[in-house]
């Protein structure tokens, strides 16, 4: 990482998946682009500060000095870093996490067309990252520590150390928790079982697609399945038989589950091993086992990864039939897979802007993906929208739209009053936005009883891949809350859960994500209001949420700890269940 | 046929732990069953009275103990079966020890044995489950060792407890200077509250090899849900004994619809990970340059302090989850004698109870329980609501034949009231107090009052 970087991006070498994935005996690595910056020791950059402290042994490793030419692992001959350095140099570990966190951040910023903040209470800008935080079978994002903490633990036979900070999917998974927490702070709060599951599922999706977006990894997976032709030999090209949906599913997804991430099973990343192989079942989400958040999240992963393979298979098919030999070479096939993964990665992240500020359900996330993608690419060139819609349906998830075409959000029917607000300042000033929201509270369906706040105002510019034209939008989150004693819920047509005391205070929340177009016109209003007397289903949903929260023990005790990722991941590792209704 | 004419119960105050002696009195003889005998924290008022309690047991059963029930291997239930108090108990020549199936020597796997063997009727996953219990106690040991390595409490404030959540004052924010107590040289990392909980739970989960060995040296009957408990029944003519827990893995599988997960693998790694810092920690990267406490750059100090505290919470969470698993190996016994039903569930929590409670037949059997030994010292998840709500003899003070409840506990050791996890759980205590005749060992205040006797049942014709 030597010297003064020139240009906007710099290349850094990372472990492609984890040290167990090897090519011809050596750990598979990959070169990735990260935003260039002037780094301090750590590395410590404008968004990430690596502090290599191990709390189990109370050891602070000296920070990586990026000025030291011997620590420039990118320009090693042949672009490879010796395995010994990868495994035994804490400085390389520091660089590896730095690169992956920055790459993920950059990926989010690219997809959303703007800067993305962390969700810390102190509104700090630099996340702390501890690559060897403790000797424990865990890794997690901690909001209160403003940090990503990666554990290390001995391998099963005790002969080596397994470093979670060297596992691509784990680092990206934790970083995604942190980024999502910054984008939708309320998603950590109690709501529906879907919302409880979303953080885990989404973090897994981003992690998997991030791994797949490296052609090196995709090719390694195919080599595992089809053989690599041996030392000096050439791998045989793929024929039409090899690239059907079923074959790709077997070679890539199942292969990934079998070969990759085996050592990480204990830390609860069963996504790699289970969710990708989950067979479509429209009833699955209704079964009791899938009420547990970590299980439920796997359904989201399975549905999205299925669409990914579908698209990839279609694209390879087209390639095969284009050539006279009716084959496609491995490198090309891998690139095609990585490109599809990369495109889908943009889609799943971009969708966040089109998600409601609170009470997310999987169907709403589906509508958000479809709408976000449609906005930037009106024709479904890759057929991702088609396959996502189909794949979600096979898992029993239907888009949550009210009359939108092809599962997308519908534009609002009501007219808004734009006369008294100045759009120019609405793009950055929450008070100006609030004025607009207040003026239009009827059209936006806000409840008079509610306390209303603007959570965020985010202008963004996204470039359409087709014609290179920018799409300008401003994303605003409006939140409403009302606190009522349980006894009063009935007068608002909301049912209090059976057994709840009448004086139990109940906080209801609701709100909307409002998307403004380039000229300040309202394009979409997404989400359920806190109360909405004319629309019975709003009250019905609030009743259902309360019932579900009541059953999951939310009103019995402080569930703050349960919502910490440290605990979520531990429970996932144990595949534990919760039985809050039986507790005191 | 012989049948008991009365049943008496002695509830002993052991501090935090359980110890109950049952007498089934027949016309010509008595039979005595001791259910658990252990402590982790001797009551501050009474000091360590295990020997006196053992002597009292010896006098009460007149030199002959017919059976011991050791519900599970937690220290607070079996520590009395080791050391001086064991000598006294052993001399009562106990004829039978009732233990959960997880204690069966044939289910154990020793370290050298191939782990993929079924043995003597125990399938592989059962044996792995048993081995994971052993590993959990090793984790507890490592945690206790880590605590011992901590510098002693110097009375200065440290980072708040695990319930602290996101609330913090301005001076706790990143970038603020360290307080005196947080200067690197002080080197104390866990808050006193955290230490206390870690120590208490860690010690309770330590393996008690001597007590286990002593118990296994006697004739044993290993039980699970649905066992006939033939040997125990033979000793107690005219008493019906139902074993309602623990379920076997197969039974659990029937109702959980969860994919089988290998706990041995998970706890194996956890064991290795927690044991390591004691030994090989400094050699994680042998050649790497390390900074001393004094050389910590100021911009890293806030974070290092937080990370040290976080490490403590992680250990606490681990210990909590293994504590729960061990509790769930508890034997649950229901005795029927003299037209009364007496329920002794050890420390069984919901996961253990679940198999019994999902069966209509069992729920009906439990509805008219007369005597309930409160599960797990009154914790929030050891008296399942389904069980409690099903009790028909609970009710206001005037209710005839009202439910009697017995709770052996000690406050302020286990859980936290801010998190609403305190033991005993106040909400439960309130229900027990208002809906049943509750006796708590905490009501025995003077040193010499370490036991109380109760007449539970008698045949009306006598
Ligand atoms: Zn996670
Ligand atoms: Zn106990
Ligand atoms: Zn216990």
């Amino acid at each position: 990482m030597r010297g003064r970087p020139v240009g906007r991006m710099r290349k850094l070498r990372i472990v492609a998946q984890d040290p167990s994935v090897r090519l011809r005996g050596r750990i598979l690595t990959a070169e990735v682009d990260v935003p260039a910056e002037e780094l301090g020791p750590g590395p410590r950059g404008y968004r990430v500060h690596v502090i290599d402290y191990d709390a189990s042994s109370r050891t602070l490793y000296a920070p990586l000095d990026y000025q030291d030419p011997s620590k420039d692992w990118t320009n090693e001959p042949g672009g490879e870093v010796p395995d010994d350095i990868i495994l035994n140099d804490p400085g390389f570990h520091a660089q590896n996490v730095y690169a992956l966190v920055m790459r993920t951040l950059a990926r989010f910023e690219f997809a959303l067309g703007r800067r993305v903040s962390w969700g810390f209470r102190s509104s700090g800008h630099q996340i702390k990252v501890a690559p060897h935080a403790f000797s424990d079978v865990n890794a997690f994002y901690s909001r209160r520590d403003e940090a990503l903490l990666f554990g290390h633990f001995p391998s099963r036979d005790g002969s080596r150390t397994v470093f979670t900070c060297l596992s691509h999917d784990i680092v990206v998974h934790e970083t995604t928790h942190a980024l999502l927490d910054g984008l939708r702070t309320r998603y950590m709060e109690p709501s529906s079982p879907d919302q409880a599951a979303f953080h885990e599922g989404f973090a897994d999706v981003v992690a998997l697609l991030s791994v797949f977006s490296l052609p090196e990894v995709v090719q390694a997976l195919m080599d595992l399945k089809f053989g690599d032709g041996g030392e000096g030999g050439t791998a045989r090209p793929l024929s039409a038989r090899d690239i059907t949906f079923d074959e790709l599913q077997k070679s890539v997804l199942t292969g990934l589950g079998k070969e990759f991430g085996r050592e990480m099973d204990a830390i609860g990343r069963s996504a790699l091993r289970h969710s990708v192989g989950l067979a479509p079942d429209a009833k699955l989400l209704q079964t009791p086992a899938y009420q547990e958040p970590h299980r439920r999240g796997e359904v989201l992963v399975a549905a999205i990864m299925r669409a990914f393979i579908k698209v990839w298979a279609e694209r390879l098919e087209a390639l095969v039939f284009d050539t006279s030999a009716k084959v496609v070479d491995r490198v090309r096939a891998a690139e095609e897979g990585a490109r599809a993964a990369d495109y889908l990665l943009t889609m799943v992240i971009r969708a966040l802007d089109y998600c409601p500020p609170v009470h997310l359900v999987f169907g709403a996330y589906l509508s958000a993906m479809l709408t976000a993608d449609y906005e930037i690419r009106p024709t479904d060139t890759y057929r991702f929208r088609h396959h996502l819609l189909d794949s979600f349906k096979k898992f029993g998830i239907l888009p949550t739209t009210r009359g939108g075409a092809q599962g997308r959000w519908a534009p609002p029917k009501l007219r808004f009053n734009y006369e008294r607000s100045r759009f120019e300042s609405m793009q950055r000033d929450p008070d100006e936005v609030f004025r607009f929201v207040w003026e239009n509270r009827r059209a936006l369906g806000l409840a008079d009883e509610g306390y209303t706040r603007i959570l965020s105002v985010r202008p963004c510019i996204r470039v359409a891949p087709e014609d290179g034209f920018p799409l300008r939008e401003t994303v605003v989150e409006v939140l409403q809350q009302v606190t009522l004693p349980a006894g009063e819920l009935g007068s608002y047509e909301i049912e209090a859960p059976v057994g709840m005391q009448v004086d139990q205070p109940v906080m209801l929340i609701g709100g909307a994500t409002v998307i403004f177009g380039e000229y300040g016109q309202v394009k979409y209003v997404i989400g359920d209001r806190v109360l909405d007397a004319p629309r019975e289903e709003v009250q019905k949903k609030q009743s259902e949420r309360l019932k579900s929260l009541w059953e999951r023990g939310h009103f019995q005790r402080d569930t703050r700890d349960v919502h910490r990722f440290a605990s979520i991941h531990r429970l996932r590792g144990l595949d534990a269940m919760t039985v809050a209704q039986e507790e005191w | 046929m012989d049948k008991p004419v009365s049943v008496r119960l002695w509830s002993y105050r052991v501090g935090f732990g359980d110890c109950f002696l049952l007498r089934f009195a027949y016309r010509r003889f008595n039979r005595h069953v001791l259910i658990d005998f252990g402590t982790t924290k001797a009551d501050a008022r009474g000091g360590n009275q295990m020997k006196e309690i053992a002597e009292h047991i010896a006098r009460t059963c007149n030199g002959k103990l017919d059976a011991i029930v050791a519900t599970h291997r937690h220290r607070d239930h079996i520590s009395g079966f080791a050391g001086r108090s064991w000598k006294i108990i052993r001399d009562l020549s106990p004829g039978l020890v009732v233990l959960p199936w997880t204690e069966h020597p044939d289910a154990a796997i020793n370290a050298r044995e191939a782990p993929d063997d079924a043995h003597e009727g125990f399938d592989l996953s059962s044996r792995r489950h048993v081995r994971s219990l052993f590993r959990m106690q090793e984790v507890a040991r490592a945690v206790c060792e880590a605590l011992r390595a901590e510098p002693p409490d110097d009375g200065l404030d440290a980072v708040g407890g695990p319930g602290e959540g996101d609330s913090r004052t301005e001076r706790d924010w990143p970038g603020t200077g360290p307080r005196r107590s947080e200067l690197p040289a002080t080197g104390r990392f866990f808050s006193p509250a955290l230490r206390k909980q870690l120590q208490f739970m860690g010690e309770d989960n330590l393996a008690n090899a001597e007590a286990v060995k002593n118990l296994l040296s006697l004739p044993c009957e290993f039980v699970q849900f649905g066992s006939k408990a033939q040997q125990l029944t033979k000793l107690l003519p005219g008493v019906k004994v139902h074993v309602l827990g623990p379920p076997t893995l197969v039974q659990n599988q029937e109702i959980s619809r969860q994919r089988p997960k290998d706990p041995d693998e998970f706890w194996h790694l956890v064991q290795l990970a927690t044991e390591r810092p004691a030994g090989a920690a400094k050699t994680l990267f042998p050649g790497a340059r390390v900074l001393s406490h004094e050389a910590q750059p100021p911009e890293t100090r806030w974070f290092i302090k937080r990370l040290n505290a976080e490490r403590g919470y992680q250990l606490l969470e681990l210990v909590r989850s293994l504590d729960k698993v061990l509790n769930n190996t508890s034997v649950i016994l229901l005795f029927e004698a003299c037209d009364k039903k007496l329920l002794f569930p050890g420390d069984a929590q919901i996961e253990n109870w679940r198999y019994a409670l999902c069966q209509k037949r069992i729920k009906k059997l439990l509805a008219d329980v007369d005597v309930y030994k409160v599960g797990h010292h009154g914790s929030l998840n050891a008296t399942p609501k389904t069980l409690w709500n099903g009790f028909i003899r609970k009710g206001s003070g005037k209710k005839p034949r009202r439910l009697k409840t017995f709770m052996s506990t000690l406050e302020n050791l286990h859980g936290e009231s801010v998190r609403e996890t305190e033991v005993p759980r106040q909400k439960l205590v309130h229900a027990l107090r208002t809906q049943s005749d509750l006796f708590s060992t905490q009501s025995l205040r003077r040193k010499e009052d370490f036991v109380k006797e109760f007449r539970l049942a008698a045949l009306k014709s006598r």
Side-chain angles (χ1 to χ4, degrees):
Chain A
M1 292 212 278
R2 172 179 39 185
R4 218 168 258 276
V6 279
R8 301 175 71 85
M9 301 305 268
R10 90 183 325 167
K11 292 199 181 300
L12 287 177
R13 191 155 283 278
I14 58 161
V15 175
Q17 163 49 32
D18 65 59
S20 73
V21 181
R22 284 160 186 267
L23 193 66
R24 300 197 176 89
R26 295 186 61 191
I27 296 170
L28 185 67
T29 62
E31 209 173 52
V32 293
D33 286 318
V34 299
E37 60 173 323
E38 198 87 31
L39 285 169
R44 187 189 193 192
Y46 72 113
R47 300 304 302 279
V48 176
H49 183 186
V50 179
I51 301 173
D52 198 357
Y53 181 73
D54 182 343
S56 294
S57 64
R58 308 271 157 73
T59 309
L60 178 65
Y61 294 101
L64 174 65
D65 185 359
Y66 67 102
Q67 300 288 6
D68 177 357
S70 73
K71 302 284 178 189
D72 191 341
W73 294 298
T74 307
N75 300 325
E76 286 288 318
E80 288 295 332
V81 186
D83 286 3
D84 181 49
I85 298 266
I86 293 179
L87 293 173
N88 300 318
D89 191 328
F92 179 81
H93 296 191
Q95 180 194 295
N96 193 69
V97 275
Y98 166 79
L100 278 168
V101 175
M102 282 306 282
R103 179 179 191 250
T104 310
L105 171 71
R107 213 60 204 63
F108 270 69
E109 293 189 337
F110 166 78
L112 296 171
R114 60 182 149 82
R115 293 283 172 232
V116 176
S117 314
W118 307 116
F120 312 146
R121 290 284 169 85
S122 70
S123 53
H125 304 276
Q126 291 157 306
I127 197 165
K128 271 69 72 185
V129 182
H132 312 103
F134 29 59
S135 180
D136 192 3
V137 193
N138 207 349
F140 53 92
Y141 157 62
S142 167
R143 187 199 280 170
R144 65 183 180 188
D145 300 323
E146 310 192 346
L148 305 176
L149 308 176
F150 297 97
H152 54 88
F153 53 93
S155 63
R156 216 149 286 159
D157 60 4
S159 66
R160 296 169 294 116
T161 300
V162 179
F163 298 104
T164 59
C165 69
L166 291 184
S167 189
H168 182 152
D169 67 296
I170 289 181
V171 177
V172 175
H173 178 106
E174 304 314 332
T175 310
T176 302
H177 277 314
L179 287 164
L180 178 57
D181 193 34
L183 285 161
R184 286 288 184 275
T185 308
R186 300 276 165 160
Y187 284 4
M188 299 261 291
E189 281 171 27
S191 172
S192 61
D194 272 9
Q195 179 164 305
F198 185 72
H199 247 283
E200 273 307 278
F202 181 72
D204 274 343
V205 168
V206 174
L208 283 172
L209 292 173
S210 176
V211 172
F212 276 117
S213 69
L214 299 176
E216 294 92 329
V217 177
V218 184
Q219 208 188 321
L221 280 167
M222 289 194 296
D223 290 350
L224 277 170
K225 160 95 176 166
F226 302 111
D228 63 356
E231 194 74 46
T234 41
R236 75 169 170 80
L238 305 178
S239 68
R241 239 175 339 109
D242 302 325
I243 53 155
T244 61
F245 172 79
D246 287 341
E247 281 303 309
L248 283 178
Q249 170 115 353
K250 251 186 254 160
S251 66
V252 179
L253 290 189
T254 320
L256 187 80
K258 275 213 192 91
E259 304 298 331
F260 288 17
R262 193 182 272 164
E263 293 191 305
M264 302 300 166
D265 215 24
I267 84 161
R269 290 316 186 280
S270 43
L272 288 169
R273 313 203 64 182
H274 298 286
S275 42
V276 289
L278 213 56
D281 176 354
K283 294 254 156 43
L284 204 56
L285 287 172
Q286 278 130 52
T287 59
Y290 281 86
Q291 304 310 305
E292 293 295 329
H294 57 272
R295 285 288 191 84
R296 208 172 174 81
E298 288 174 10
V299 176
L300 184 73
V301 182
I304 293 176
M305 293 314 283
R306 191 175 176 277
F308 161 64
I309 300 287
K310 284 274 181 197
V311 168
W312 187 20
E314 277 184 5
R315 294 184 62 82
L316 288 182
E317 247 169 71
L319 277 178
V320 166
F321 292 107
D322 277 356
T323 65
S324 51
K326 302 287 177 230
V327 291
V328 58
D329 104 308
R330 288 291 170 86
V331 179
R332 185 68 204 278
E335 277 169 8
E336 217 38 75
R339 200 171 303 142
D342 197 55
Y343 187 87
L344 185 54
L345 186 54
T346 306
M347 258 182 103
V348 300
I349 297 168
R350 194 164 278 168
L352 294 176
D353 268 355
Y354 293 74
C355 283
V358 288
H359 303 317
L360 182 70
V361 293
F362 290 169
Y365 180 65
L366 174 60
S367 287
M369 275 194 291
L370 301 172
T371 313
D373 190 58
Y374 171 83
E375 283 293 325
I376 200 115
R377 195 193 280 258
T379 46
D380 190 12
T381 344
Y382 278 80
R383 302 224 316 146
F384 264 122
R385 304 207 288 267
H386 166 84
H387 286 302
L388 282 168
L389 202 52
D390 175 67
S391 190
F392 273 63
K393 193 175 165 195
K394 289 203 159 59
F395 282 98
I397 305 164
L398 300 175
T400 314
T401 69
R402 284 184 282 278
Q406 283 129 28
R408 298 194 300 268
W409 296 123
K413 291 196 189 72
L414 291 155
R415 297 175 62 91
F416 294 90
N417 178 5
Y418 298 98
E419 273 170 26
R420 298 195 186 90
S421 41
R422 295 176 305 152
F423 183 63
E424 190 49 36
S425 47
M426 263 176 63
Q427 285 172 299
R428 50 180 182 274
D429 184 352
D431 283 314
E432 190 73 41
V433 173
F434 188 78
R435 178 173 183 178
F436 174 86
V437 165
W438 187 253
E439 289 276 317
N440 290 286
R441 57 191 183 275
R442 296 276 167 274
L444 286 166
L446 298 183
D448 290 334
E449 299 83 355
Y451 161 71
T452 310
R453 270 189 321 139
I454 305 298
L455 286 182
S456 67
V457 179
R458 294 166 174 144
C460 38
I461 305 174
R462 291 157 198 180
V463 178
E466 235 89 288
D467 51 16
F469 273 98
L471 172 73
R472 291 170 198 275
E473 285 178 340
T474 301
V475 184
V476 165
E477 284 178 281
V478 185
L479 185 87
Q480 276 210 305
Q481 62 192 62
V482 183
T483 302
L484 296 168
E488 251 180 73
L489 291 170
S491 48
Y492 293 93
E493 309 293 320
I494 295 173
E495 268 178 59
V498 179
M500 189 185 262
Q501 306 274 341
V502 288
D503 57 351
Q504 165 82 50
V506 173
M507 187 180 23
L508 301 169
I509 49 179
T513 299
V514 184
I515 310 270
F516 292 95
E518 186 161 8
Y519 308 106
Q521 78 284 15
V522 174
K523 287 169 77 175
Y524 299 104
V525 181
I526 300 156
D528 287 327
R529 302 324 164 259
V530 61
L531 299 165
D532 200 345
R535 283 178 45 229
E536 229 174 87
E537 75 264 24
V538 170
Q539 279 68 234
K540 216 180 125 218
K541 274 195 219 163
Q542 290 286 29
S543 309
E544 279 166 16
R545 263 177 227 126
L546 286 179
K547 182 166 175 278
S548 145
L549 284 173
W550 175 251
E551 283 167 2
R552 284 180 287 144
H554 171 65
F555 291 97
Q556 283 174 46
R557 79 177 39 82
D558 183 350
T559 48
R560 264 185 313 203
D561 269 20
V562 180
H563 294 282
R564 299 191 56 228
F565 292 109
S567 316
I568 292 171
H569 292 165
R570 177 106 52 217
L571 288 174
R572 200 173 164 185
L574 288 160
D575 200 15
M577 47 154 208
T578 43
V579 257
Q581 314 92 286
E582 295 285 358
E583 295 181 349
W584 288 85
Chain B
M1 197 186 88
D2 263 332
K3 56 182 183 180
V5 291
S6 72
V7 184
R8 272 164 202 271
L9 175 77
W10 284 265
S11 171
Y12 293 93
R13 183 195 64 205
V14 286
F16 195 94
D18 264 11
C19 182
F20 294 94
L21 181 67
L22 271 176
R23 173 189 291 165
F24 297 93
Y26 296 78
R27 243 165 290 176
R28 279 180 296 276
F29 54 89
N30 289 333
R31 289 281 148 91
H32 291 95
V33 179
L34 177 62
I35 303 177
D36 289 335
F37 180 23
T39 183
T40 42
K41 276 271 157 76
D43 193 317
R45 284 182 295 270
N48 192 339
Q49 290 180 298
M50 296 301 272
K51 189 166 158 276
E52 281 146 286
I53 291 171
E55 282 160 355
H56 187 276
I57 293 170
R59 283 198 303 278
T60 310
C61 68
N62 204 13
K64 171 66 185 166
L65 188 57
D66 297 283
I68 292 171
V69 177
T71 58
H72 64 301
R73 65 166 89 164
H74 265 151
R75 214 162 240 232
D76 64 312
H77 294 253
I78 61 166
S79 70
F81 302 122
R84 283 189 305 169
S85 50
W86 170 246
K87 290 201 183 75
I88 300 165
I89 300 293
R90 188 192 52 199
D91 288 346
L92 307 175
S93 37
L96 178 69
V97 178
V98 177
L99 291 160
W101 69 268
T102 49
E103 297 301 332
H104 201 298
D106 287 343
I109 306 181
N110 66 45
R112 274 177 300 279
E113 197 172 343
D116 45 356
D117 285 347
H119 187 62
E120 300 285 336
F122 287 95
D123 65 356
L124 181 59
S125 48
S126 304
R127 302 192 77 206
R128 286 207 162 148
H129 177 67
V130 168
R131 184 157 69 177
S132 73
L133 301 176
F134 164 77
R135 296 200 194 284
M136 290 176 209
Q137 297 193 296
E138 290 297 295
V139 171
R141 192 174 52 79
V143 168
C144 288
E145 268 165 34
L147 268 184
R148 263 197 294 281
E150 283 261 306
D153 187 354
D154 59 7
L156 295 169
D157 56 349
V159 179
E164 171 210 43
D166 262 348
S167 62
R168 55 183 179 217
T169 56
E170 193 65 36
R171 59 192 256 164
D172 284 333
W173 284 36
T176 52
R179 292 176 236 172
R180 195 172 67 82
S181 60
E182 295 152 10
L183 286 173
T186 312
R188 194 169 53 80
F189 300 106
F190 302 156
S191 70
L194 181 66
R195 285 178 62 92
K196 192 175 146 196
Q197 279 192 67
L198 266 175
Q199 192 149 11
F200 170 68
M201 279 206 153
E203 282 173 6
D204 195 20
N205 282 284
L206 290 177
N208 205 332
E210 193 196 335
V212 173
K213 201 179 111 216
N214 289 338
L215 290 167
L216 288 178
S217 72
L218 299 172
C220 289
E221 178 162 51
F222 301 94
V223 298
Q224 68 224 24
F225 176 93
S227 291
K228 294 265 182 293
Q230 276 164 341
Q231 298 178 57
L232 183 60
T233 309
K234 219 156 89 197
L235 286 172
L236 305 172
V239 178
K240 233 186 195 165
V241 182
H242 306 267
V243 184
L244 304 181
T248 61
L249 291 193
V250 176
Q251 288 169 339
N252 240 340
Q253 207 59 45
E254 272 173 44
I255 52 161
S256 71
R257 271 159 296 177
Q258 308 244 8
R259 60 176 164 249
K261 180 99 188 162
D262 182 0
D264 187 38
E265 200 148 318
F266 179 81
W267 288 103
H268 178 41
L269 292 174
V270 171
Q271 184 195 343
L272 292 174
T274 36
E275 280 175 348
R276 167 132 90 188
K282 299 283 180 198
T283 56
L284 192 56
F285 302 107
R289 202 160 71 84
V290 166
L291 300 184
S292 69
H293 278 313
E294 291 70 29
Q296 285 178 3
E299 70 272 18
T300 63
R301 290 181 194 169
W302 176 85
F303 176 68
I304 288 174
K305 179 189 78 173
R306 299 287 318 176
L307 184 45
N308 280 323
E310 194 65 63
R311 168 72 185 153
Y313 310 150
Q314 292 311 303
L315 291 179
L316 184 59
E317 240 181 60
L318 271 178
V319 178
R320 274 199 193 123
S321 49
L322 63 89
D323 184 65
K324 185 188 187 110
V325 179
L326 284 166
N327 281 335
N328 282 326
T329 62
S330 289
V331 174
I332 304 175
L333 289 182
L334 177 72
F335 298 96
E336 287 188 69
C338 300
D339 191 33
K340 290 274 162 78
K341 286 183 180 175
L342 327 172
L343 178 59
F344 288 85
D347 281 356
Q349 295 180 217
I350 290 155
E351 293 79 357
N352 179 330
W353 265 116
R354 213 164 45 125
Y355 186 69
L357 290 177
C358 72
Q359 302 177 45
K360 267 210 186 93
R361 179 177 64 87
I362 304 294
K363 275 208 267 195
K364 214 177 135 203
L365 181 70
L366 287 167
D368 53 351
V369 157
D370 297 278
V371 173
Y372 169 56
K373 195 290 293 190
V374 180
H376 192 216
H377 322 284
S379 82
L380 68 99
N381 46 15
T383 300
K385 286 266 175 78
T386 306
L387 175 72
W388 176 254
N389 293 338
F391 285 155
I392 55 170
R393 301 213 190 283
K394 66 178 191 302
S396 68
K398 289 184 207 75
K399 194 173 170 92
R401 202 175 164 172
R402 194 188 191 204
L403 175 70
K404 289 184 169 64
T405 53
F406 293 86
M407 182 165 70
S408 179
T409 195
L410 190 57
E411 273 169 3
N412 300 322
L413 282 172
H414 205 303
E416 294 159 89
S417 53
V418 285
R419 287 159 37 99
E420 306 190 30
T421 57
E422 77 281 1
V423 176
R425 174 88 176 110
Q426 286 314 307
K427 246 164 114 176
L428 171 62
V429 173
H430 177 79
L432 291 166
R433 199 173 280 144
T434 52
Q435 307 270 305
S436 73
D437 295 337
L438 169 67
F439 169 74
S440 164
T441 54
Q442 293 208 110
S443 67
L444 300 176
R445 299 198 181 277
R446 292 181 311 166
K447 182 175 194 293
E448 56 273 30
D449 294 339
F450 57 79
V451 61
K452 195 161 171 166
E453 179 185 345
F454 298 87
R455 234 173 74 154
L456 297 184
L459 281 190
K460 285 193 192 83
S461 53
R462 293 301 103 190

